[in-house]
Amino acid sequence: MNEPNLPNPDLTAQIAAHSEPMQRLVHEIAKTLVGQDVLVHRLLIGLLTGRHLLIEGVPGLAKTTAVATLAKAIDADFQRLQFTPDLLPADLIGTQVYRPQQQAFVVQKGPIFANLILADEINRAPAKVQSALLEAMQERQVTIGGETFRLPDPFLVMATQNPIEQEGTYPLPEAQMDRFMMKVVVDYPTRDEELVILSRMSRSRPSVDIQSVTTTDEIIAARELVDAVFVDQQIAEYIVDLVMASRKCEAYGLSIGPWIQFGASPRATIDLTLAAKANAFLNQRAFVLPQDVKAIAMDVLRHRVMVTYEAEAEEKTSEDVVSMILDAIPVP
């Protein structure tokens, strides 16, 4: 595919300049995190698009560490919320508190009023708390005692969940899962990476001094350039075809209809486009290539394609379905 003629010839230079803070973030996070390049890359995409991430992996893979380190490397407000079965919505968004001195109720804001929110083990909280969080994610505002409060900008929720301990959990419904731009699955480190982890962290008090290397203003400025990244009509049609193939697979020559219960929503089309633009930005390009779409399509679609019992009986997962779609749809 030929490089498109961009309407703004200076855009590439602007992107190169504004992507430099992202490179500083990667370098700073690497002081603590070993490997997990994909996770760090997806966290940056979330920052650049203002969309939320769901991170899944077994315990001990540094999911929480990755998000906490990212927050330290940004001059921004950060709150870590440990979700538990006894958590209440008021513990998240805040409530009205009576002040005897003033003889009136005043609003006590909750920890949701921060730029970066780490929702640790989100599937351990009951439905009311999950709904309160997801409403804040969607509306970027909360209501306390009839008064509406805007959340800060940028506002990014990074939720983690454990796939193996299901006792005492409240799995996120499919409609709420759709609120997350990407579901990132974190895998075990390689042997060499684990050796580095051992040498770096096998101390009673491993300490790494993480410095703040960027600001929220720089992130917001970078977002404006991400919005300006060019998407060719062929790329747009490719994205739409990928999402449509998850709903009407027969129209695309795929015989996997009995495996799909629900396909991806229109929100997936928007998120896939935004993520591809952010991926191009991180590669210092002012236009999207098909490789940008394919690089992040699995993370954008895996939690949005619901498989049937028939697929489960044949040991087929949503990732298998997405892989087949990616192989079947011609790349422009």
Side-chain angles (χ1 to χ4, degrees):
M1 179 177 177
N2 294 328
E3 295 184 6
N5 293 321
L6 296 174
N8 182 0
D10 297 328
L11 188 58
T12 301
Q14 293 178 40
I15 286 175
H18 283 79
S19 64
E20 199 270 334
M22 301 297 112
Q23 297 170 22
R24 295 201 303 264
L25 274 177
V26 172
H27 181 266
E28 197 68 17
I29 292 170
K31 292 181 180 179
T32 296
L33 204 65
V34 179
Q36 305 296 8
D37 295 338
V38 172
L39 174 58
V40 173
H41 181 266
R42 301 311 190 252
L43 289 174
L44 295 182
I45 287 179
L47 276 177
L48 289 170
T49 57
R51 294 299 203 267
H52 313 289
L53 306 182
L54 181 63
I55 306 168
E56 183 179 282
V58 299
L61 295 184
K63 302 184 298 295
T64 303
T65 300
V67 178
T69 304
L70 174 69
K72 289 179 182 177
I74 301 172
D75 184 17
D77 294 329
F78 168 67
Q79 287 288 344
R80 177 184 181 272
L81 305 174
Q82 183 64 51
F83 278 42
T84 56
D86 61 347
L87 202 67
L88 299 174
D91 297 328
L92 181 69
I93 66 173
T95 187
Q96 286 186 315
V97 178
Y98 183 72
R99 302 288 189 191
Q101 300 86 348
Q102 304 173 14
Q103 295 187 350
F105 285 93
V106 297
V107 171
Q108 183 74 41
K109 292 183 179 180
I112 195 71
F113 289 89
N115 298 114
L116 300 177
I117 301 293
L118 171 57
D120 223 352
E121 295 190 290
I122 187 174
N123 54 336
R124 292 205 174 278
K128 283 187 177 181
V129 177
Q130 292 180 5
S131 297
L133 174 64
L134 294 165
E135 181 183 2
M137 290 165 53
Q138 182 69 19
E139 305 298 332
R140 308 294 172 121
Q141 64 184 28
V142 297
T143 302
I144 305 173
E147 191 174 356
T148 300
F149 298 89
R150 295 290 302 174
L151 293 172
D153 188 29
F155 174 69
L156 179 64
V157 173
M158 292 158 284
T160 69
Q161 67 176 12
N162 184 342
I164 61 174
E165 292 182 22
Q166 295 305 318
E167 185 176 350
T169 63
Y170 303 81
L172 288 172
E174 287 79 3
Q176 293 181 346
M177 291 272 283
D178 193 43
R179 304 288 179 90
F180 290 96
M181 178 187 212
M182 291 185 288
K183 178 183 176 182
V184 185
V185 177
V186 182
D187 204 355
Y188 289 106
T190 65
R191 185 178 184 276
D192 291 340
E193 288 170 349
E194 195 138 355
L195 281 170
V196 176
I197 293 170
L198 186 151
S199 65
R200 185 182 294 182
M201 307 299 289
S202 59
R203 303 168 190 169
S204 59
R205 291 186 179 180
S207 61
V208 179
D209 186 20
I210 299 298
Q211 301 294 324
S212 175
V213 295
T214 188
T215 65
T216 55
D217 289 340
E218 287 182 316
I219 292 170
I220 292 172
R223 282 182 182 176
E224 294 178 0
L225 289 176
V226 170
D227 289 339
V229 170
F230 180 78
V231 181
D232 188 78
Q233 181 64 27
Q234 287 182 302
I235 300 292
E237 292 179 6
Y238 177 55
I239 291 171
V240 170
D241 285 338
L242 287 175
V243 176
M244 290 295 295
S246 71
R247 306 175 203 159
K248 301 179 179 179
C249 54
E250 292 82 4
Y252 294 87
L254 288 162
S255 57
I256 55 175
W259 292 349
I260 301 176
Q261 184 177 10
F262 297 107
S265 69
R267 189 182 280 122
T269 306
I270 298 169
D271 285 350
L272 187 52
T273 306
L274 282 173
K277 292 168 79 170
N279 194 68
F281 176 92
L282 290 172
N283 285 285
Q284 299 188 13
R285 271 188 281 102
F287 53 90
V288 173
L289 293 176
Q291 292 89 324
D292 295 313
V293 179
K294 295 198 76 170
I296 44 81
M298 179 62 74
D299 290 338
V300 174
L301 298 176
R302 61 157 51 103
H303 60 296
R304 290 181 160 109
V305 176
M306 301 297 115
V307 297
T308 61
Y309 289 116
E310 182 177 342
E312 292 177 358
E314 297 185 30
E315 298 183 347
K316 299 297 182 183
T317 65
S318 61
E319 293 183 357
D320 295 326
V321 171
V322 174
S323 293
M324 293 177 188
I325 291 172
L326 288 170
D327 292 339
I329 304 300
V331 176

